[in-house]
Amino acid sequence: MIKEFTKRSALRTLERPDEKGLGRGNLGVLVARAGVGKTACLIHIAFDKIFQNGKVVHVSLLDGPDKISSYYNVILSELMKAFRLKDDRETRSLMEKNRMILAYLNQSFELRRLRENLKNLSEKAGFTADTLVVDGLDFSKTGAETFEAFKTLAREYQVEIWFSALAHRHIAEVNERGIPYPCNNLDHFFDIILQLEPAAGSGIRMKLLKAHERPVNSEDTLILDPSTFLTLV
């Protein structure tokens, strides 16, 4: 399954031959309205890393660990269904081994606490993260200094960090580089910016808005399965 996943992973498909994804020390973000699938897409990104034997820490600011774990199980089941597998204990074991969940509910998130938790995971549990996915950070209430601190953390811990950002139908602000609200005034912090939108039928359209320093164009767009976030073939 892992080989087939890699062929149809949205991240692999969008990469150029001379690129290696987001990269350690860098920040990436998914921008989408409510209900389009930000959390599911972050989990797809997490699986992309897990299946390459990378270590992922899923940081949730909205849902508890049990709910996040359930999301992973549901998406893994959908992946198995897509690849016509009845069960794949080895893959489930790989997921459990290579993923940790940290939940900061009721506005309890602080970068200081995240740093402490990452340090404890590494020193006491032997789990050194390669990738962080941060779900539920309110970009409308988060200032530039916080993303500067995330950038410092990414470089210090040599991780790549993916965020989800909530867009709003009634806010149409877009900067001169084509980056929409709520990232239009923060895009210089991010090395990769992706936008998710509903596509015709039941698919999800993923647009590449920024990819490091290279130019992007209208061809950098994929249609994804909303259950697995695999590219549709």
Side-chain angles (χ1 to χ4, degrees):
M1 186 184 86
I2 293 175
K3 185 177 180 180
E4 291 301 315
F5 176 94
T6 301
K7 287 181 182 177
R8 292 178 58 190
S9 166
L11 293 186
R12 299 283 75 74
T13 306
L14 283 174
E15 284 179 4
R16 297 287 179 86
D18 59 340
E19 292 178 346
K20 293 184 179 180
L22 179 56
R24 295 176 184 270
N26 297 327
L27 310 183
V29 62
L30 313 170
V31 184
R33 297 199 302 267
V36 176
K38 294 184 296 300
T39 298
C41 193
L42 281 180
I43 290 173
H44 176 94
I45 289 171
F47 274 125
D48 187 88
K49 305 302 179 183
I50 289 166
F51 291 163
Q52 297 179 72
N53 213 30
K55 303 287 188 184
V56 174
V57 174
H58 188 117
V59 180
S60 175
L61 279 64
L62 297 175
D63 298 312
D66 289 345
K67 191 168 185 179
I68 295 299
S69 182
S70 176
Y71 286 154
Y72 274 83
N73 288 329
V74 167
I75 292 175
L76 184 56
S77 294
E78 291 293 333
L79 287 169
M80 290 180 182
K81 191 186 303 181
F83 297 124
R84 296 181 175 84
L85 297 173
K86 291 183 178 179
D87 195 11
D88 190 340
R89 294 181 182 178
E90 184 178 344
T91 301
R92 288 189 183 276
S93 177
L94 185 67
M95 176 184 73
E96 297 295 339
K97 182 184 77 169
N98 286 350
R99 182 212 63 203
M100 288 286 184
I101 299 170
L102 298 176
Y104 303 89
L105 307 182
N106 303 315
Q107 299 181 332
S108 64
F109 177 75
E110 295 177 351
L111 270 167
R112 174 187 57 81
R113 289 187 65 201
L114 177 58
R115 281 178 172 276
E116 291 172 356
N117 290 150
L118 292 175
K119 183 178 179 181
N120 287 336
L121 283 175
S122 179
E123 294 180 354
K124 297 180 181 179
F127 189 98
T128 302
D130 301 296
T131 302
L132 271 60
V133 295
V134 181
D135 193 20
L137 186 68
D138 189 342
F139 274 52
S140 69
K141 297 179 180 178
T142 304
E145 66 280 0
T146 298
F147 290 106
E148 187 66 57
F150 268 115
K151 192 80 171 178
T152 299
L153 182 147
R155 290 169 177 164
E156 181 181 337
Y157 282 82
Q158 278 299 286
V159 296
E160 59 180 67
I161 307 179
W162 283 94
F163 298 85
S164 61
L166 178 63
H168 296 284
R169 189 186 302 273
H170 63 282
I171 303 178
E173 295 175 21
V174 179
N175 68 20
E176 64 275 14
R177 293 172 295 282
I179 307 301
Y181 174 91
C183 298
N184 52 315
N185 295 319
L186 299 165
D187 57 316
H188 56 289
F189 289 110
F190 299 99
D191 297 275
I192 293 181
I193 301 176
L194 300 170
Q195 185 177 36
L196 304 177
E197 298 176 327
S202 61
I204 301 294
R205 179 179 291 105
M206 175 183 279
K207 294 181 179 179
L208 182 63
L209 302 183
K210 181 179 179 180
H212 298 281
E213 299 303 319
R214 75 167 168 88
V216 297
N217 55 55
S218 59
E219 294 179 2
D220 292 320
T221 300
L222 301 172
I223 304 298
L224 308 177
D225 183 307
S227 299
T228 61
F229 278 78
L230 296 169
T231 55
L232 288 174
V233 294

